[in-house]
Structures are given as structure tokens and as C-alpha cells.
Amino acid sequence: MGRAVRKQRGRGVALVTGASSGIGEAFSRALARDGFDLVLVARRRRRLAALAHELSEAHGVASEPFAADLSTAAGLCRVGERIAREPRLELLVNDAGMGEFGHFAGSEWSREESEIRVNVLAVVRLVHAALPRMIRRGRGAVINVSSTVAFVPTPSFAVYGATKAFLNSFTEALHVELRGTGIRVQALCPGLTHTEIFARARADASRVPEFFWMEPAEVVAESLAALERGTVLCVPGLKNRTVANLARMLPHAASSRIAELLTRSVKPTRIGVTRPSPT
Ligand SMILES: NC(=O)c1ccc[n+]([C@@H]2O[C@H](COP(=O)([O-])OP(=O)(O)OC[C@H]3O[C@@H](n4cnc5c(N)ncnc54)[C@H](OP(=O)(O)O)[C@@H]3O)[C@@H](O)[C@H]2O)c1
């Protein structure tokens, strides 16, 4: 049954970074349902292997777990090479990301550096690896997972917000450069989404009312629909769009003050996961 579905739907290859949890896992599930063969990238190899197996069985797609640490030069180089030699790459989803909560001056430098490497350097490198072949084929798409914090300088997430502002600027400029090539690009800017990212950022966001949150699958459904329409900046959810529009209208001095007040409901936690477990 699986193979029949694949032959019927064969839509090329989608490479998803950050596929082992949260929004990246939801992308992987949605794309497998849509008939894409997958390359699943993250560090936790057992999770990737289990997901790849599940998606191949359920949807008859080829699904390759590819364990790599995108904060290292060697890991990033391996993923870049995998992308560059993939003749059927239709979609690159740069989802892998991490945040660091707290005032910058007191933060651990190694974590800030990893954050910039994963959120910025890896995205730029992987897009650079993907574009030449996509341009030759005259087709393809890239989704860079940004955030609504890209619109507002966000105290306590200063570096994280700046990395996401970079992604929006980068993606919007690429959109203009790629006009007429057949390649679509999107900066996906989710708001609060139920995933593991807050625990990993050592931030307890449990006091933020449920009203503000979305599920990863909802975010992904809006992103893929927006990609079909050619939307470059996709802000999923009406509430998030309203916040993003307000933030864009206010001077940064005012919006970052409001962001500072809002982040007061987020508290530091010591239970954060600093290193991935093997699963
Ligand atoms: N959740 C939210 O509220 C929210 C809001 C706006 C934007 N976002 C963005 O959404 C994206 C996905 O985050 P999420 O919320 O789904 O959190 P998540 O569940 O923590 O997922 C993060 C993913 O990135 C991978 N990753 C982290 N560091 C990596 C590294 N060094 N090398 C390779 N992979 C790495 C993780 O896999 P391994 O640990 O297995 O490597 C995991 O698969 C991020 O870019 C984040 O900034 C999230």
C-alpha cells in the first residue's frame, strides 16, 4: 500500500531540520502525508529513526534519519553536502532553533554562540547549499522558521529575537533576488507554540494564558497553505497576526517596553535541558 501511495503522489524530497520534536516534527508528519520523501535532521538520532520508520510505514514515503549537530562546523558541513547532492530536493525547511532566556550580560557564552550558529549560520549555509540546484531546475521552496519576536526587540530573549529578525530580513531579500526563478521562500513567524523549546531555554512559560498558544500542527498547516499562495512572511494565527501588525506600527522603544512587560510572566527554571538526551 505504501509504495502505491508513493508512486501516486511522489513529490520529491523535503529536508527538515529540527525534525526530532515540535514544529519540525509536525512539518515532517504533514509533508509525509503529502507524499514527500524526507530527510530528517536533528541531533537525537533515536527519535529521528523512530519517526522515519513511522512515516515510511504510514505513508509509503522514503524517510532518511540524518543525525547532525548544526552548531558544529562538521555537522553543518555534512548537512550542506547532503543537500547539495540531492537531485530531487523540492523543499528545505530550516526549523532547527534554540533560545536562551535571561539577561544577556549574565548568560553562558557557549549557549549564545550555539544559538547564533543554529538559528542564523546553519540557515544561511543550508539555503546557500540548496539554491543552485533549485535554480537550475526552476523549482523549489525554502521555509525559514523565524518567530513573532522578529518584529520586536525582546528583552530576556535579546539574541534569540535578533537571530529571528535576521531571518526575516534575509528571507525577504532572497524573495526579491529569486523573482522569476520559480523558487518560493517563506519566513514562518509563529507565536507561542506548545513544544519543548521553553524547557530547553530554561524558561517556564506556564503562566502565559492558554489563549495565546497554538499547536505545532496548526502552525504547519498555515505555513504550507501560505507557501502555496506565495506568502513571504507567514504569521500563523489571528492573534499573532494582530500582535505582529501592532508591533510593526509602534516605535521600537514602545514595542520593546511592552515585550519586556509581557516576558515578566516567563520565569527562569533550572530544569531546562541543556544537552539532548540520545532519544
Ligand atoms: N515553540 C514556540 O513557541 C516557537 C515560537 C516561535 C518560533 N519557534 C521556532 O520554531 C523552531 C522549532 O522549535 P520548537 O518550538 O519546535 O522547539 P523544539 O521542540 O525544541 O525543537 C527544536 C528542534 O531543533 C533541533 N535542534 C536544536 N539544536 C540543534 C542543533 N544544534 N543541531 C541540530 N538540531 C538542533 C532540535 O533537535 P535535537 O535536540 O534532537 O537536535 C529540535 O528538533 C525554532 O526555530 C524556534 O525558534 C518556536
Side-chain angles (χ1 to χ4, degrees):
M1 172 222 158
R3 282 210 182 113
V5 174
R6 184 177 165 201
K7 272 189 193 146
Q8 208 183 336
R9 292 188 182 168
R11 295 191 56 183
V13 170
L15 185 141
V16 182
T17 72
S20 60
S21 62
I23 296 169
E25 180 182 338
F27 263 114
S28 308
R29 292 182 180 284
L31 293 168
R33 267 196 310 276
D34 284 350
F36 283 93
D37 291 331
L38 295 169
V39 182
L40 305 175
V41 179
R43 290 166 298 181
R44 288 170 292 183
R45 77 179 61 236
R46 273 189 240 158
R47 279 205 192 193
L48 290 181
L51 182 64
H53 179 73
E54 181 197 327
L55 296 180
S56 296
E57 289 290 304
H59 305 290
V61 296
S63 192
E64 174 189 338
F66 193 104
D69 184 344
L70 293 171
S71 70
T72 66
L76 181 53
C77 185
R78 283 177 50 241
V79 181
E81 284 169 358
R82 177 67 187 83
I83 286 173
R85 68 167 191 269
E86 175 52 63
R88 297 170 57 238
L89 187 70
E90 285 288 330
L91 176 61
L92 168 63
V93 181
N94 278 310
D95 167 84
M98 58 175 286
E100 181 68 3
F101 176 67
H103 282 189
F104 176 71
S107 64
E108 268 175 54
W109 171 247
S110 62
R111 286 177 62 88
E112 298 292 12
E113 186 176 2
S114 293
E115 188 175 0
I116 295 168
R117 285 180 179 278
V118 176
N119 296 10
V120 175
L121 188 63
V123 173
V124 175
R125 170 74 180 92
L126 299 186
V127 174
H128 194 258
L131 285 182
R133 206 188 273 264
M134 284 184 177
I135 290 171
R136 281 200 297 279
R137 294 175 72 208
R139 55 189 290 171
V142 174
I143 297 173
N144 293 326
V145 181
S146 176
S147 168
T148 47
V149 301
F151 301 111
V152 190
T154 308
S156 296
F157 281 110
V159 173
Y160 179 75
T163 65
K164 298 303 186 179
F166 179 103
L167 290 190
N168 282 16
S169 172
F170 174 58
T171 309
E172 289 191 277
L174 278 184
H175 167 67
V176 176
E177 287 188 14
L178 292 169
R179 209 178 276 144
T181 61
I183 297 162
R184 282 166 293 166
V185 290
Q186 178 188 106
L188 168 63
C189 304
L192 293 166
T193 309
H194 285 299
T195 70
E196 299 172 12
I197 199 165
F198 291 96
R200 291 163 159 242
R202 297 188 277 202
D204 175 4
S206 59
R207 289 172 210 211
V208 180
E210 188 57 35
F211 171 80
F212 289 106
W213 294 82
M214 288 180 77
E215 293 302 323
E218 298 174 289
V219 170
V220 167
E222 288 209 29
S223 167
L224 293 176
L227 190 68
E228 288 291 321
R229 295 193 300 274
T231 306
V232 181
L233 271 189
C234 170
V235 182
L238 182 60
K239 282 162 274 185
N240 292 327
R241 278 193 290 281
T242 308
V243 169
N245 287 336
L246 281 173
R248 278 185 280 194
M249 277 157 39
L250 289 173
H252 272 178
S255 59
S256 59
R257 176 76 183 122
I258 295 170
E260 183 186 26
L261 295 174
L262 291 175
T263 49
R264 284 196 186 155
S265 55
V266 180
K267 298 287 170 208
T269 169
R270 295 195 172 279
I271 315 165
V273 182
T274 52
R275 292 268 173 266
S277 73
T279 53

